[in-house]
Amino acid sequence: MHALRSLAVLAVVTVVSTTAIDARGHRVAQVPNGTNIGCILCHNSASGGDARNAFGLEIQNGFLNGFDVVWGAELAALDSDGDGVTNGQELLDPDGLWKIGDDNPGDAATVTLPGNADSVPPPPTAVTATT
């Protein structure tokens, strides 16, 4: 009976801990280009589960509805990491118009991290006029 109870407790702990991880893992699909970036969008490491970066803290402290990220114009207009580029510009949705289920905007290769001040888009290149 003791072994059965221990097995039941282990099963419950496994289900609860797995559910908690999955509950947050879906958040990358709730931000434009989040699926191209992964956990490092909100965490300090690519594997996630560690401390949140500036963008992750911004979401945690004001842009969650339950377990879901509230992406829109307000979060897009902020510069969470203080690098002079808005979250929306870094995620290629400067106006915050992207919705869950939409295709990711822009070229995934040009996305930068809104939680890392060292990750900024390259400056625009000058175009020479021709006659």
Side-chain angles (χ1 to χ4, degrees):
M1 191 63 172
H2 178 69
L4 186 58
R5 186 174 349 139
S6 295
L7 184 58
V9 169
L10 179 61
V12 169
V13 168
T14 301
V15 168
V16 169
S17 64
T18 302
T19 302
I21 292 168
D22 290 341
R24 291 183 178 91
H26 76 281
R27 288 183 182 162
V28 294
Q30 297 176 338
V31 177
N33 283 299
T35 55
N36 294 324
I37 298 169
C39 295
I40 200 164
L41 176 66
C42 295
H43 291 272
N44 290 322
S45 70
S47 60
D50 59 343
R52 289 175 182 84
N53 60 36
F55 183 67
L57 290 171
E58 192 91 66
I59 289 173
Q60 175 185 331
N61 294 322
F63 294 92
L64 286 177
N65 181 9
F67 281 110
D68 297 328
V69 176
V70 179
W71 175 259
E74 187 178 354
L75 182 55
L78 297 175
D79 177 11
S80 295
D81 57 12
D83 61 4
V85 184
T86 68
N87 299 333
Q89 289 170 317
E90 295 205 61
L91 296 172
L92 308 182
D93 181 29
D95 299 319
L97 300 176
W98 179 90
K99 301 288 183 221
I100 295 171
D102 289 352
D103 290 337
N104 283 317
D107 177 4
T110 63
V111 173
T112 56
L113 301 174
N116 179 343
D118 294 329
S119 175
V120 294
T125 56
V127 177
T128 308
T130 59
T131 56

